[in-house]
C-alpha cells in the first residue's frame, strides 16, 4: 500500500483543500478509566480473547500467544509485530509513535485496529500452518446468521414486496441503518439495545438528500462500504438489490474487509454466506437472493476488499487508487460506526461541528449511515445536542440513536 503514515495525536485535521477544522479537538485515547474507549480495551478485548479461545481447539502455541497479548494490553506496553509477519514494515511505520508506550495511551482508533492485527498474529491467521486463513470470528457470525431473528426479518420482506417503490426504499434504508445494531463486538460486553419507533432515535436524518443523489434511471454507479456481517449485511444487501432493481444505480461496488477485523466486520466469505442465506429462504427473500446472485455474475454487483479498510488511518489518508474509485461513483455510502470514525476523525468533536467541513476532502458525494456506538458525533443542531445531553444516558455509545448524514 502507499498510504501516508499515521499522524500523532497533536496533528490537526487538515483537508486537502487546506481547511484545518477542529485542530483543538483532542484525539480519543483509552486512558480515562470509565470512558467508553477505556472499556473497550480493559473489558471488551479481554472478553473477546476468551471467546476466541473457547471457539476453536487451538494448540498450546496459540493459547500462549493469546495469554501474552492479554497481559500486554492490560499490564504492559505496545510491542511490535514479529519481523517475520508479512506486514511488519507497514505496522512498524504506523506504530512508530506508540510502540513501547502503554496501550491505553495510544489513539483509540489505532489501538483497536492494532489489537485485531495482533490477535490474528497470535492465532497464526497469516502463517503457513493449518490455521492459515481460519476466521476466528466465523462461529459467531454464522451462529447469528442461523438465528431465529434472521428468519423473522426475512419473512417481513413478504409484506413489503407490494409496497410502492418509494415507501419500500425508505423502509429498506431504515432497515439497513438499524441493522448496524447487529454488531457482535458491541454485544461482547453489552446487552443488545433496541430502539422503539425507528424514526424516534434519528438524531440527524438527511435521507432525502441521499435519494436526491440517486435519481431512478440515471445510470449511476454507487459504492457501499460495508461494516458488519450477518444481521447487518443482509439488510445492506437487500437495499443494494432495491437500488439495482429500480435503477437507482446501474452498478454497485460493495467494499468489504480483506481479513477478519473488529469481530463481525464483513469479508467476501460473509457476503457469500449472506447471499446463500437469502437465496435459500422462501418468498421475497429468496427472490432477492437470486437477483443478487445474478447481479454478481453479470458485474452489476462487484465485491472488492482493499487493504486500506484494515488500516488504522482516517479516510483522509486513503491511497490514491481508492480515492480514484470513490471519485468515479455518484455516491459512496459508508456503513457503521468505524467507518464514521475514520470519515470525520476519531476525535472529541463539538457535536455541532459541520459534517460537510470535516468531509470536504472526500472525493465525491458521501453518505454516513450509522448507529451511534462510540463517542464521535458531528453535524448536530445545537437544540438536538442540548436535548440529548440533558436526557442523560449513554446516547453516544448505546446503539439507541442513529443518523443519516450526507455531503453532496
Amino acid at each position: 500500500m502507499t498510504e501516508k503514515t499515521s499522524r500523532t495525536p497533536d496533528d490537526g485535521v487538515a483537508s486537502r483543500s487546506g481547511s484545518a477544522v477542529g485542530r483543538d479537538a483532542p484525539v480519543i485515547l483509552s486512558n480515562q478509566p470509565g470512558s467508553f474507549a477505556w472499556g473497550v480495551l480493559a473489558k471488551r478485548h479481554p472478553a473477546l480473547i476468551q471467546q476466541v479461545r473457547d471457539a476453536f481447539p487451538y494448540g498450546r502455541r496459540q493459547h500462549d500467544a493469546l495469554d501474552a497479548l492479554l497481559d500486554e494490553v492490560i499490564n504492559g506496553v505496545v510491542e511490535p509485530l514479529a519481523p517475520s509477519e508479512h506486514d511488519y514494515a507497514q505496522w512498524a511505520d504506523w506504530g512508530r509513535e506508540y510502540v513501547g508506550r502503554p496501550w491505553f495511551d495510544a489513539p483509540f482508533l489505532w489501538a483497536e485496529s492494532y489489537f485485531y492485527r495482533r490477535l490474528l498474529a497470535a492465532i497464526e491467521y497469516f502463517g503457513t500452518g493449518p490455521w492459515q486463513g481460519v476466521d476466528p470470528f466465523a462461529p459467531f457470525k454464522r451462529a447469528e446468521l442461523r438465528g431465529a431473528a434472521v428468519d423473522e426479518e426475512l419473512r417481513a420482506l413478504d409484506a413489503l414486496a407490494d409496497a410502492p417503490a418509494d415507501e419500500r426504499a425508505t423502509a429498506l434504508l431504515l432497515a439497513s441503518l438499524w441493522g448496524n445494531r447487529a454488531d457482535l463486538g458491541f454485544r461482547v460486553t453489552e446487552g443488545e439495545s433496541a430502539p422503539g419507533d425507528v424514526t424516534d432515535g434519528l438524531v440527524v436524518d438527511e435521507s432525502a438528500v441521499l435519494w436526491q443523489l440517486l435519481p431512478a434511471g440515471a445510470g449511476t454507479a454507487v459504492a457501499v462500504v460495508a461494516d458488519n456481517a450477518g444481521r447487518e449485511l443482509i439488510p445492506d444487501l437487500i437495499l443494494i438489490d432495491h437500488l439495482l432493481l429500480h435503477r437507482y444505480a446501474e452498478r454497485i461496488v460493495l467494499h468489504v474487509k480483506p481479513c477478519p477485523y473488529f469481530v463481525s466486520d464483513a469479508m467476501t466469505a460473509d457476503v457469500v454466506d449472506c447471499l446463500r442465506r437469502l437465496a435459500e429462504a422462501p418468498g421475497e427473500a429468496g427472490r432477492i437472493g437470486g437477483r443478487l446472485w445474478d447481479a454478481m455474475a453479470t458485474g452489476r454487483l462487484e465485491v472488492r476488499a482493499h487493504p486500506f479498510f484494515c488500516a488504522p488511518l482516517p479516510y483522509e489518508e486513503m491511497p490514491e487508487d481508492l480515492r480514484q474509485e470513490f471519485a468515479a461513483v455518484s455516491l459512496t455510502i459508508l456503513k457503521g460506526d468505524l467507518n464514521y470514525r475514520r470519515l470525520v476523525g476519531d476525535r472529541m468533536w463539538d457535536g455541532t461541528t459541520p459534517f460537510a467541513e470535516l468531509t470536504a476532502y472526500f472525493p465525491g458525494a458521501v453518505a454516513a449511515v450509522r448507529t451511534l456506538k462510540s463517542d464521535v458525533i458531528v453535524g448536530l443542531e445545537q437544540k438536538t445536542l442540548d436535548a440529548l445531553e440533558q436526557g442523560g444516558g449513554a446516547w453516544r455509545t448505546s446503539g439507541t440513536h442513529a443518523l443519516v448524514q450526507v455531503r453532496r
Side-chain angles (χ1 to χ4, degrees):
M1 288 186 294
T2 58
E3 304 92 319
K4 297 188 293 182
T5 56
S6 56
R7 297 170 293 193
T8 64
D10 293 330
D11 288 335
V13 174
S15 76
R16 291 174 183 261
S17 63
S19 173
V21 178
R23 279 189 180 274
D24 296 330
V27 170
I28 295 175
L29 307 178
S30 306
N31 56 8
Q32 182 179 346
S35 68
F36 176 79
W38 175 87
V40 169
L41 263 65
K43 297 182 179 181
R44 186 184 299 180
H45 286 176
L48 176 60
I49 287 176
Q50 187 60 51
Q51 284 193 341
V52 169
R53 184 196 302 274
D54 293 342
F56 286 93
Y58 290 124
R60 180 64 179 269
R61 191 168 57 245
Q62 285 93 348
H63 280 282
D64 287 348
L66 290 170
D67 286 341
L69 176 59
L70 176 59
D71 184 64
E72 178 188 320
V73 171
I74 300 302
N75 302 311
V77 297
V78 175
E79 300 289 348
L81 282 174
S84 58
E85 294 287 339
H86 73 281
D87 50 354
Y88 165 78
Q90 180 69 87
W91 275 102
D93 186 24
W94 286 336
R96 67 184 186 278
E97 300 289 335
Y98 317 122
V99 169
R101 295 166 54 181
W103 278 76
F104 291 83
D105 291 343
F108 179 42
L109 178 63
W110 185 92
E112 274 199 290
S113 185
Y114 189 52
F115 169 81
Y116 284 97
R117 179 60 188 88
R118 290 288 304 281
L119 180 65
L120 294 184
I123 60 154
E124 302 177 10
Y125 179 86
F126 292 112
T128 57
W131 294 102
Q132 181 184 26
V134 177
D135 181 357
F137 313 128
F140 317 140
K141 298 175 186 175
R142 290 170 182 164
E144 182 187 62
L145 207 55
R146 292 192 300 265
V150 174
D151 290 329
E152 182 179 348
E153 290 159 0
L154 295 184
R155 282 194 297 269
L157 291 170
D158 293 336
L160 194 61
D162 296 326
D166 56 344
E167 293 180 15
R168 183 179 170 90
T170 298
L172 294 180
L173 179 61
L174 285 171
S176 177
L177 170 64
W178 287 112
N180 183 227
R181 286 180 295 131
D183 180 335
L184 295 171
F186 187 64
R187 296 205 301 272
V188 166
T189 54
E190 306 286 343
E192 184 175 2
S193 55
D197 186 308
V198 291
T199 60
D200 288 346
L202 280 171
V203 298
V204 180
D205 182 8
E206 297 176 346
S207 55
V209 181
L210 185 153
W211 292 118
Q212 289 172 11
L213 291 169
L214 298 176
T220 59
V222 171
V224 177
V225 182
D227 188 35
N228 297 310
R231 284 180 63 198
E232 177 177 356
L233 186 56
I234 280 184
D236 291 347
L237 288 168
I238 293 168
L239 177 62
I240 286 171
D241 169 72
H242 184 82
L243 296 179
L244 292 172
L245 181 64
H246 295 278
R247 301 191 64 222
Y248 292 100
E250 290 298 323
R251 186 175 68 89
I252 293 178
V253 176
L254 177 62
H255 295 273
V256 297
K257 303 295 191 299
C259 64
Y261 199 58
F262 279 63
V263 187
S264 55
D265 281 25
M267 302 190 299
T268 302
D270 302 309
V271 175
V272 174
D273 286 344
C274 288
L275 287 177
R276 285 199 178 110
R277 183 73 166 87
L278 282 166
E280 293 169 0
E284 180 65 7
R287 289 187 285 273
I288 290 171
R291 288 196 297 263
L292 288 169
W293 201 279
D294 291 342
M296 292 278 289
T298 60
R300 297 186 69 209
L301 173 59
E302 181 180 351
V303 178
R304 296 183 189 170
H306 196 289
F308 181 75
F309 292 117
C310 290
L313 306 175
Y315 277 111
E316 192 170 19
E317 300 185 29
M318 73 180 80
E320 189 58 31
D321 60 339
L322 193 58
R323 173 173 290 275
Q324 291 176 5
E325 285 199 44
F326 290 149
V329 299
S330 297
L331 176 66
T332 297
I333 300 173
L334 295 175
K335 282 298 310 295
D337 203 77
L338 176 60
N339 279 323
Y340 189 85
R341 292 163 60 193
R342 297 183 72 186
L343 177 66
V344 304
D346 203 37
R347 294 172 175 258
M348 290 302 296
W349 300 108
D350 181 310
T352 62
T353 305
F355 177 77
E357 291 186 32
L358 292 180
T359 58
Y361 70 87
F362 200 87
V366 60
V369 179
R370 170 222 184 188
T371 302
L372 277 58
K373 292 180 293 188
S374 70
D375 288 313
V376 181
I377 184 71
V378 300
L380 297 181
E381 295 183 1
Q382 187 65 58
K383 63 180 181 181
T384 301
L385 179 60
D386 291 344
L388 289 166
E389 295 288 5
Q390 291 167 9
W395 63 271
R396 292 172 180 257
T397 60
S398 63
T400 56
H401 294 77
L403 59 79
V404 179
Q405 289 176 317
V406 184
R407 196 224 73 214
R408 292 178 178 271

